[in-house]
Amino acid sequence: MNPLDPVRIGVVSVSDRASSGVYADQGIPALQAWLGSAIKNPVHWETRLIPDEEAGISAALIELVDVQHCDLVLTTGGTGPAPRDVTPEATLTVAHKVMPGFGEQMRQISLTFVPTAILSRQVAVIRGKALIINLPGQPKAIAETLAGLPQAHPPVHGIFAAVPYCVDLIGGAYIETDAAVCKAFRPKSAQRPAP
């Protein structure tokens, strides 16, 4: 029996072509693989594969937070400047608070690899007791964004190190991570003794 809190995570892949079966979705498996290796808690997954439609994306996010009670919702895809890329708009529509530091850091990480990282419009928001984060669409970029570049000189922090404490602060589950994959940062006053 796992003594850690169960955590509910929504994973949303936004893609016209994958959702219509033109090709297999890579976003959901990439997110589940990375999160599954990083998080020690038992995870209940809620997955959604949907087209690039703003109203549909917003509806999926609301359902995952308000009905399924996810602590964390991660989206992949639909964050560029193309006309069909509307994930950030759909996310901001459902937001109670905007968390701009996540988007700033995601672009900083991606700029280490490609100058077109500045074209990304990823956002992170809070809705109720859930954190919602837009991630890149490519599996390699998803992992780099979440984990950062710990071997770089100087090291570049990934965004996931800040996610568990953010979820704590908004009243969600206490998420424990495997430090070998991603060491969560919490002030000493917010840390629980190891089970």
Side-chain angles (χ1 to χ4, degrees):
M1 176 101 185
N2 193 327
L4 301 174
D5 295 346
V7 60
R8 297 180 71 86
I9 299 179
V11 178
V12 182
S13 185
V14 180
S15 169
D16 285 333
R17 288 178 289 176
S19 65
S20 65
V22 173
Y23 56 72
D25 174 63
Q26 295 182 335
I28 291 171
L31 279 166
Q32 288 183 306
W34 192 91
L35 292 166
S37 69
I39 296 174
K40 290 181 172 182
N41 305 58
V43 176
H44 174 83
W45 300 100
E46 289 287 343
T47 61
R48 304 289 185 273
L49 175 57
I50 58 177
D52 290 278
E53 298 288 351
E54 188 174 342
I57 299 166
S58 293
L61 296 176
I62 290 169
E63 187 249 340
L64 288 169
V65 175
D66 297 5
V67 179
Q68 300 301 329
H69 304 292
C70 289
D71 300 289
L72 176 64
V73 178
L74 300 174
T75 72
T76 176
T79 60
R84 296 285 297 165
D85 291 334
V86 294
T87 302
E89 286 76 15
T91 304
L92 291 169
T93 297
V94 307
H96 295 152
K97 292 182 180 176
V98 179
M99 302 295 290
F102 284 100
E104 293 163 9
Q105 184 63 9
M106 285 189 275
R107 283 180 281 280
Q108 190 63 44
I109 294 165
S110 297
L111 273 169
T112 308
F113 300 99
V114 291
T116 52
I118 59 173
L119 302 180
S120 169
R121 301 180 308 110
Q122 293 138 320
V123 299
V125 305
I126 291 167
R127 178 179 177 85
K129 293 183 178 181
L131 175 62
I132 303 171
I133 305 173
N134 301 155
L135 291 167
Q138 297 302 317
K140 181 174 180 284
I142 289 170
E144 289 163 353
T145 300
L146 291 169
L149 310 165
Q151 312 310 324
H153 297 287
V156 178
H157 294 289
I159 64 160
F160 202 79
V163 167
Y165 185 47
C166 181
V167 173
D168 292 354
L169 290 171
I170 60 177
Y174 188 90
I175 300 171
E176 292 270 13
T177 62
D178 180 343
V181 179
C182 178
K183 184 170 176 21
F185 177 83
R186 286 180 173 96
K188 284 194 175 131
S189 61
Q191 294 173 16
R192 286 187 188 172

